Amino acid sequence: MRLLTFSFLKNCKWKAWMQNPRKISSGTVRSTVEEKITGDPNLIYIHPSWKADEEQHLRTAIMTDMQVLPDFVTEAEETSLLAELENIKKYRFDMCEWCTQAIQGFRETERSTWSEENALVMSRVRGAAFSSARAGEALPHVHVLDLAAAGHIRPHVDALRFCGEVIAGISLLSTAVMRLEHAQRPQLRLDALLPQRSLYIMRGVARYEFTHAVCGGAGAPSTWRGAPVPRRRRLALISRSRPPPTAC
C-alpha cells in the first residue's frame, strides 16, 4: 500500500523546490475566470504577511485557482461513500520513518469503479473540475487517502509526472486546513478551510507556484484565522487530470 503515495510524493518537489523554484512572471500567472467555478471566497484567508499592494496580479490568480465548494456532498452521500470504502480499514496507518519527511500517518487505495449512487457523486466532481479544455481529462482512478488524526502532509509542489493541470478532492469525516506558500517568497501565504463534505479544486498557480500542506498532527498547527481547528481522521477522495505526454 505504500506504492501510491511513495511514487507520487517522492517525485513532488517537497524537498527540492527551494533549489530550483519557478519564477514569478506575467507569463506564469494566467487568468482563469473563464472557468466559472464558483467556490466560496470566505473559505480562503490571505495572511497579513502578504501585503495588499504586493503581487496583486498573483493574488487575483490564486483566488481563482484555489477554490473550495462547501457542502458538495450531502450527509447521506458521505455515508454512502464511507460504506463503500470501509475496506480501507484493513490496512494499518503508515508511520514509517521515511514518511516523516513528507507524509505520515496515512493509508491509501485507488478506486475506479463505484456503486451507482457514488458514481453520480464522482460524475459531479468531473463536471465541476474537469469540464473545461484547459483542465484536460480526469484520470480514471480516484486516489483515496486516509489521514489519521495525528498524521500530516508537509509542504510540497506537485510533480508534473503524476498529474496535470487540475486536482480536485472531496473531504470526508473532518474539516481540515490547507496552507499554501509561494515557493520563492513564503510571506505570500494563504490558508484554505476545507469543511467536511466540501470539494476543493486546485489548478494553475496554486499547483505550480505554491507549496501546499495539510495542517495538523505533527505538522503545522491547524488554525483558521487564529482559531484552532481540531482535525480528526480525514478521508480525501482525490481526482487528478491526466499529465501531459511530455511529463511522463
Side-chain angles (χ1 to χ4, degrees):
M1 288 307 300
R2 298 182 183 179
L3 183 59
L4 297 175
T5 295
F6 273 32
S7 296
F8 181 72
L9 284 179
K10 265 171 55 178
N11 289 276
C12 291
K13 300 177 184 177
W14 69 270
K15 187 174 181 180
W17 58 266
M18 292 184 64
Q19 301 170 14
N20 188 28
R22 293 175 56 146
K23 296 181 180 179
I24 302 175
S25 70
S26 59
T28 58
V29 179
R30 296 176 292 175
S31 173
T32 55
V33 292
E34 72 278 8
E35 303 280 346
K36 297 183 180 179
I37 294 176
T38 54
D40 186 345
N42 295 314
L43 298 177
I44 306 296
Y45 170 63
I46 297 181
H47 283 241
S49 59
W50 189 340
K51 306 301 182 185
D53 61 351
E54 189 176 14
E55 297 291 349
Q56 292 177 339
H57 190 45
L58 184 63
R59 180 190 287 253
T60 299
I62 194 68
M63 289 298 291
T64 301
D65 287 350
M66 182 70 212
Q67 297 281 328
V68 182
L69 287 67
D71 300 315
F72 188 81
V73 299
T74 66
E75 291 187 30
E77 288 171 335
E78 179 183 39
T79 298
S80 178
L81 287 164
L82 293 172
E84 186 161 353
L85 297 169
E86 179 71 15
N87 67 344
I88 199 171
K89 289 184 178 180
K90 69 182 180 182
Y91 304 109
R92 297 178 60 185
F93 283 111
D94 202 327
M95 294 290 187
C96 69
E97 182 177 355
W98 181 88
C99 292
T100 60
Q101 301 179 64
I103 178 172
Q104 183 183 39
F106 72 97
R107 52 194 177 191
E108 62 184 351
T109 187
E110 285 186 337
R111 198 169 190 92
S112 59
T113 59
W114 301 88
S115 68
E116 183 176 356
E117 180 180 0
N118 293 336
L120 291 175
V121 175
M122 303 317 299
S123 179
R124 289 210 315 270
V125 173
R126 291 192 296 273
F130 303 97
S131 59
S132 71
R134 178 185 170 186
E137 179 188 7
L139 290 168
H141 291 85
V142 175
H143 183 193
V144 181
L145 182 61
D146 192 352
L147 192 65
H152 67 279
I153 302 174
R154 290 189 62 188
H156 64 281
V157 176
D158 292 327
L160 285 172
R161 177 182 174 189
F162 291 97
C163 46
E165 176 71 20
V166 175
I167 285 182
I170 297 175
S171 299
L172 303 179
L173 292 175
S174 177
T175 294
V177 176
M178 180 180 286
R179 178 156 298 166
L180 292 85
E181 292 185 357
H182 192 271
Q184 289 179 273
R185 304 173 67 184
Q187 78 274 15
L188 306 182
R189 181 183 310 132
L190 62 145
D191 288 343
L193 185 66
L194 310 179
Q196 184 178 357
R197 295 185 293 277
S198 66
L199 174 75
Y200 71 85
I201 303 171
M202 297 177 63
R203 57 191 176 185
V205 297
R207 292 280 319 287
Y208 306 126
E209 303 286 351
F210 287 75
T211 66
H212 58 276
V214 175
C215 302
S222 184
T223 61
W224 174 250
R225 296 181 181 269
V229 178
R231 180 173 56 73
R232 306 183 302 276
R233 173 190 168 212
R234 174 176 179 262
L235 197 68
L237 310 185
I238 305 169
S239 300
R240 298 181 172 93
S241 57
R242 191 176 299 277
T246 55
C248 298

PDB file of all heavy atoms in Angstrom, residues 108-129:
ATOM      1  N   GLU A 108      -3.972   4.184   2.190  1.00  0.00           N
ATOM      2  CA  GLU A 108      -4.483   4.628   0.904  1.00  0.00           C
ATOM      3  C   GLU A 108      -4.876   3.464   0.014  1.00  0.00           C
ATOM      4  O   GLU A 108      -4.488   2.316   0.233  1.00  0.00           O
ATOM      5  CB  GLU A 108      -3.414   5.473   0.196  1.00  0.00           C
ATOM      6  CG  GLU A 108      -2.149   4.684  -0.081  1.00  0.00           C
ATOM      7  CD  GLU A 108      -1.056   5.530  -0.700  1.00  0.00           C
ATOM      8  OE1 GLU A 108      -1.306   6.681  -1.079  1.00  0.00           O
ATOM      9  OE2 GLU A 108       0.068   5.020  -0.797  1.00  0.00           O
ATOM     10  N   THR A 109      -5.641   3.810  -0.989  1.00  0.00           N
ATOM     11  CA  THR A 109      -6.002   2.861  -2.028  1.00  0.00           C
ATOM     12  C   THR A 109      -6.416   3.676  -3.255  1.00  0.00           C
ATOM     13  O   THR A 109      -6.421   4.911  -3.211  1.00  0.00           O
ATOM     14  CB  THR A 109      -7.138   1.914  -1.565  1.00  0.00           C
ATOM     15  OG1 THR A 109      -7.355   0.905  -2.548  1.00  0.00           O
ATOM     16  CG2 THR A 109      -8.437   2.676  -1.366  1.00  0.00           C
ATOM     17  N   GLU A 110      -6.738   3.000  -4.333  1.00  0.00           N
ATOM     18  CA  GLU A 110      -7.266   3.643  -5.532  1.00  0.00           C
ATOM     19  C   GLU A 110      -8.589   2.972  -5.895  1.00  0.00           C
ATOM     20  O   GLU A 110      -8.804   1.796  -5.601  1.00  0.00           O
ATOM     21  CB  GLU A 110      -6.293   3.521  -6.708  1.00  0.00           C
ATOM     22  CG  GLU A 110      -5.100   4.439  -6.617  1.00  0.00           C
ATOM     23  CD  GLU A 110      -4.244   4.374  -7.866  1.00  0.00           C
ATOM     24  OE1 GLU A 110      -4.316   3.337  -8.573  1.00  0.00           O
ATOM     25  OE2 GLU A 110      -3.499   5.326  -8.148  1.00  0.00           O
ATOM     26  N   ARG A 111      -9.439   3.740  -6.557  1.00  0.00           N
ATOM     27  CA  ARG A 111     -10.732   3.166  -6.950  1.00  0.00           C
ATOM     28  C   ARG A 111     -11.163   3.758  -8.276  1.00  0.00           C
ATOM     29  O   ARG A 111     -11.104   4.974  -8.481  1.00  0.00           O
ATOM     30  CB  ARG A 111     -11.791   3.447  -5.880  1.00  0.00           C
ATOM     31  CG  ARG A 111     -12.995   2.546  -6.010  1.00  0.00           C
ATOM     32  CD  ARG A 111     -13.883   2.663  -4.791  1.00  0.00           C
ATOM     33  NE  ARG A 111     -14.913   1.631  -4.797  1.00  0.00           N
ATOM     34  CZ  ARG A 111     -14.796   0.450  -4.214  1.00  0.00           C
ATOM     35  NH1 ARG A 111     -13.694   0.139  -3.570  1.00  0.00           N
ATOM     36  NH2 ARG A 111     -15.774  -0.427  -4.260  1.00  0.00           N
ATOM     37  N   SER A 112     -11.598   2.889  -9.190  1.00  0.00           N
ATOM     38  CA  SER A 112     -12.065   3.348 -10.498  1.00  0.00           C
ATOM     39  C   SER A 112     -13.520   2.957 -10.762  1.00  0.00           C
ATOM     40  O   SER A 112     -14.128   3.459 -11.708  1.00  0.00           O
ATOM     41  CB  SER A 112     -11.187   2.781 -11.622  1.00  0.00           C
ATOM     42  OG  SER A 112     -11.193   1.371 -11.596  1.00  0.00           O
ATOM     43  N   THR A 113     -14.073   2.056  -9.950  1.00  0.00           N
ATOM     44  CA  THR A 113     -15.475   1.664 -10.101  1.00  0.00           C
ATOM     45  C   THR A 113     -16.215   1.969  -8.799  1.00  0.00           C
ATOM     46  O   THR A 113     -15.668   1.809  -7.707  1.00  0.00           O
ATOM     47  CB  THR A 113     -15.610   0.164 -10.424  1.00  0.00           C
ATOM     48  OG1 THR A 113     -15.006  -0.610  -9.375  1.00  0.00           O
ATOM     49  CG2 THR A 113     -14.928  -0.158 -11.756  1.00  0.00           C
ATOM     50  N   TRP A 114     -17.471   2.400  -8.955  1.00  0.00           N
ATOM     51  CA  TRP A 114     -18.260   2.828  -7.810  1.00  0.00           C
ATOM     52  C   TRP A 114     -19.675   2.271  -7.927  1.00  0.00           C
ATOM     53  O   TRP A 114     -20.121   1.919  -9.014  1.00  0.00           O
ATOM     54  CB  TRP A 114     -18.328   4.357  -7.753  1.00  0.00           C
ATOM     55  CG  TRP A 114     -16.998   5.031  -7.655  1.00  0.00           C
ATOM     56  CD1 TRP A 114     -16.182   5.417  -8.684  1.00  0.00           C
ATOM     57  CD2 TRP A 114     -16.310   5.384  -6.456  1.00  0.00           C
ATOM     58  NE1 TRP A 114     -15.046   5.989  -8.199  1.00  0.00           N
ATOM     59  CE2 TRP A 114     -15.080   5.993  -6.830  1.00  0.00           C
ATOM     60  CE3 TRP A 114     -16.610   5.264  -5.094  1.00  0.00           C
ATOM     61  CZ2 TRP A 114     -14.170   6.469  -5.901  1.00  0.00           C
ATOM     62  CZ3 TRP A 114     -15.689   5.744  -4.161  1.00  0.00           C
ATOM     63  CH2 TRP A 114     -14.490   6.337  -4.567  1.00  0.00           C
ATOM     64  N   SER A 115     -20.368   2.247  -6.807  1.00  0.00           N
ATOM     65  CA  SER A 115     -21.796   1.928  -6.838  1.00  0.00           C
ATOM     66  C   SER A 115     -22.512   2.998  -7.651  1.00  0.00           C
ATOM     67  O   SER A 115     -21.973   4.083  -7.906  1.00  0.00           O
ATOM     68  CB  SER A 115     -22.353   1.896  -5.416  1.00  0.00           C
ATOM     69  OG  SER A 115     -22.357   3.198  -4.857  1.00  0.00           O
ATOM     70  N   GLU A 116     -23.724   2.698  -8.054  1.00  0.00           N
ATOM     71  CA  GLU A 116     -24.475   3.648  -8.888  1.00  0.00           C
ATOM     72  C   GLU A 116     -24.626   4.996  -8.187  1.00  0.00           C
ATOM     73  O   GLU A 116     -24.450   6.057  -8.804  1.00  0.00           O
ATOM     74  CB  GLU A 116     -25.845   3.066  -9.213  1.00  0.00           C
ATOM     75  CG  GLU A 116     -26.680   3.951 -10.137  1.00  0.00           C
ATOM     76  CD  GLU A 116     -28.004   3.307 -10.513  1.00  0.00           C
ATOM     77  OE1 GLU A 116     -28.232   2.140 -10.112  1.00  0.00           O
ATOM     78  OE2 GLU A 116     -28.804   3.975 -11.194  1.00  0.00           O
ATOM     79  N   GLU A 117     -24.941   4.976  -6.902  1.00  0.00           N
ATOM     80  CA  GLU A 117     -25.137   6.217  -6.146  1.00  0.00           C
ATOM     81  C   GLU A 117     -23.842   7.021  -6.069  1.00  0.00           C
ATOM     82  O   GLU A 117     -23.820   8.242  -6.298  1.00  0.00           O
ATOM     83  CB  GLU A 117     -25.644   5.902  -4.739  1.00  0.00           C
ATOM     84  CG  GLU A 117     -25.870   7.138  -3.883  1.00  0.00           C
ATOM     85  CD  GLU A 117     -26.363   6.792  -2.495  1.00  0.00           C
ATOM     86  OE1 GLU A 117     -26.534   5.583  -2.199  1.00  0.00           O
ATOM     87  OE2 GLU A 117     -26.585   7.723  -1.691  1.00  0.00           O
ATOM     88  N   ASN A 118     -22.738   6.342  -5.747  1.00  0.00           N
ATOM     89  CA  ASN A 118     -21.471   7.049  -5.591  1.00  0.00           C
ATOM     90  C   ASN A 118     -20.871   7.469  -6.932  1.00  0.00           C
ATOM     91  O   ASN A 118     -20.133   8.454  -7.004  1.00  0.00           O
ATOM     92  CB  ASN A 118     -20.484   6.178  -4.812  1.00  0.00           C
ATOM     93  CG  ASN A 118     -20.934   5.971  -3.378  1.00  0.00           C
ATOM     94  OD1 ASN A 118     -21.689   6.779  -2.838  1.00  0.00           O
ATOM     95  ND2 ASN A 118     -20.496   4.875  -2.771  1.00  0.00           N
ATOM     96  N   ALA A 119     -21.191   6.728  -7.977  1.00  0.00           N
ATOM     97  CA  ALA A 119     -20.728   7.120  -9.307  1.00  0.00           C
ATOM     98  C   ALA A 119     -21.315   8.472  -9.702  1.00  0.00           C
ATOM     99  O   ALA A 119     -20.657   9.260 -10.405  1.00  0.00           O
ATOM    100  CB  ALA A 119     -21.108   6.058 -10.338  1.00  0.00           C
ATOM    101  N   LEU A 120     -22.517   8.767  -9.253  1.00  0.00           N
ATOM    102  CA  LEU A 120     -23.121  10.065  -9.540  1.00  0.00           C
ATOM    103  C   LEU A 120     -22.344  11.190  -8.858  1.00  0.00           C
ATOM    104  O   LEU A 120     -22.178  12.274  -9.420  1.00  0.00           O
ATOM    105  CB  LEU A 120     -24.580  10.075  -9.079  1.00  0.00           C
ATOM    106  CG  LEU A 120     -25.535   9.180  -9.870  1.00  0.00           C
ATOM    107  CD1 LEU A 120     -26.924   9.195  -9.230  1.00  0.00           C
ATOM    108  CD2 LEU A 120     -25.633   9.640 -11.319  1.00  0.00           C
ATOM    109  N   VAL A 121     -21.853  10.930  -7.646  1.00  0.00           N
ATOM    110  CA  VAL A 121     -21.052  11.928  -6.940  1.00  0.00           C
ATOM    111  C   VAL A 121     -19.751  12.191  -7.697  1.00  0.00           C
ATOM    112  O   VAL A 121     -19.372  13.353  -7.922  1.00  0.00           O
ATOM    113  CB  VAL A 121     -20.736  11.471  -5.503  1.00  0.00           C
ATOM    114  CG1 VAL A 121     -19.797  12.462  -4.818  1.00  0.00           C
ATOM    115  CG2 VAL A 121     -22.022  11.321  -4.697  1.00  0.00           C
ATOM    116  N   MET A 122     -19.080  11.128  -8.116  1.00  0.00           N
ATOM    117  CA  MET A 122     -17.815  11.304  -8.814  1.00  0.00           C
ATOM    118  C   MET A 122     -18.029  11.963 -10.172  1.00  0.00           C
ATOM    119  O   MET A 122     -17.163  12.700 -10.668  1.00  0.00           O
ATOM    120  CB  MET A 122     -17.105   9.958  -8.974  1.00  0.00           C
ATOM    121  CG  MET A 122     -16.837   9.215  -7.662  1.00  0.00           C
ATOM    122  SD  MET A 122     -16.212  10.269  -6.312  1.00  0.00           S
ATOM    123  CE  MET A 122     -14.677  10.868  -7.018  1.00  0.00           C
ATOM    124  N   SER A 123     -19.192  11.737 -10.773  1.00  0.00           N
ATOM    125  CA  SER A 123     -19.513  12.421 -12.026  1.00  0.00           C
ATOM    126  C   SER A 123     -19.660  13.923 -11.790  1.00  0.00           C
ATOM    127  O   SER A 123     -19.248  14.735 -12.630  1.00  0.00           O
ATOM    128  CB  SER A 123     -20.801  11.845 -12.615  1.00  0.00           C
ATOM    129  OG  SER A 123     -21.155  12.505 -13.807  1.00  0.00           O
ATOM    130  N   ARG A 124     -20.218  14.301 -10.645  1.00  0.00           N
ATOM    131  CA  ARG A 124     -20.328  15.724 -10.313  1.00  0.00           C
ATOM    132  C   ARG A 124     -18.951  16.348 -10.128  1.00  0.00           C
ATOM    133  O   ARG A 124     -18.729  17.502 -10.490  1.00  0.00           O
ATOM    134  CB  ARG A 124     -21.155  15.918  -9.040  1.00  0.00           C
ATOM    135  CG  ARG A 124     -22.625  15.629  -9.190  1.00  0.00           C
ATOM    136  CD  ARG A 124     -23.476  16.484  -8.251  1.00  0.00           C
ATOM    137  NE  ARG A 124     -22.977  16.554  -6.887  1.00  0.00           N
ATOM    138  CZ  ARG A 124     -23.323  15.701  -5.919  1.00  0.00           C
ATOM    139  NH1 ARG A 124     -24.126  14.678  -6.177  1.00  0.00           N
ATOM    140  NH2 ARG A 124     -22.850  15.861  -4.702  1.00  0.00           N
ATOM    141  N   VAL A 125     -18.017  15.595  -9.552  1.00  0.00           N
ATOM    142  CA  VAL A 125     -16.648  16.094  -9.404  1.00  0.00           C
ATOM    143  C   VAL A 125     -16.048  16.381 -10.773  1.00  0.00           C
ATOM    144  O   VAL A 125     -15.453  17.442 -11.005  1.00  0.00           O
ATOM    145  CB  VAL A 125     -15.767  15.083  -8.636  1.00  0.00           C
ATOM    146  CG1 VAL A 125     -14.301  15.527  -8.644  1.00  0.00           C
ATOM    147  CG2 VAL A 125     -16.260  14.917  -7.205  1.00  0.00           C
ATOM    148  N   ARG A 126     -16.212  15.439 -11.692  1.00  0.00           N
ATOM    149  CA  ARG A 126     -15.660  15.644 -13.040  1.00  0.00           C
ATOM    150  C   ARG A 126     -16.307  16.845 -13.724  1.00  0.00           C
ATOM    151  O   ARG A 126     -15.643  17.610 -14.413  1.00  0.00           O
ATOM    152  CB  ARG A 126     -15.841  14.375 -13.876  1.00  0.00           C
ATOM    153  CG  ARG A 126     -14.973  13.209 -13.408  1.00  0.00           C
ATOM    154  CD  ARG A 126     -14.968  12.082 -14.425  1.00  0.00           C
ATOM    155  NE  ARG A 126     -16.301  11.496 -14.593  1.00  0.00           N
ATOM    156  CZ  ARG A 126     -16.782  10.516 -13.844  1.00  0.00           C
ATOM    157  NH1 ARG A 126     -16.050  10.010 -12.862  1.00  0.00           N
ATOM    158  NH2 ARG A 126     -17.994  10.028 -14.072  1.00  0.00           N
ATOM    159  N   GLY A 127     -17.616  17.013 -13.509  1.00  0.00           N
ATOM    160  CA  GLY A 127     -18.289  18.150 -14.113  1.00  0.00           C
ATOM    161  C   GLY A 127     -17.827  19.475 -13.547  1.00  0.00           C
ATOM    162  O   GLY A 127     -17.711  20.472 -14.264  1.00  0.00           O
ATOM    163  N   ALA A 128     -17.548  19.512 -12.240  1.00  0.00           N
ATOM    164  CA  ALA A 128     -17.130  20.756 -11.593  1.00  0.00           C
ATOM    165  C   ALA A 128     -15.676  21.102 -11.879  1.00  0.00           C
ATOM    166  O   ALA A 128     -15.330  22.274 -12.038  1.00  0.00           O
ATOM    167  CB  ALA A 128     -17.338  20.649 -10.083  1.00  0.00           C
ATOM    168  N   ALA A 129     -14.818  20.081 -11.962  1.00  0.00           N
ATOM    169  CA  ALA A 129     -13.375  20.355 -12.017  1.00  0.00           C
ATOM    170  C   ALA A 129     -12.719  20.078 -13.356  1.00  0.00           C
ATOM    171  O   ALA A 129     -11.649  20.636 -13.644  1.00  0.00           O
ATOM    172  CB  ALA A 129     -12.667  19.527 -10.938  1.00  0.00           C
TER     173      ALA A 129
END
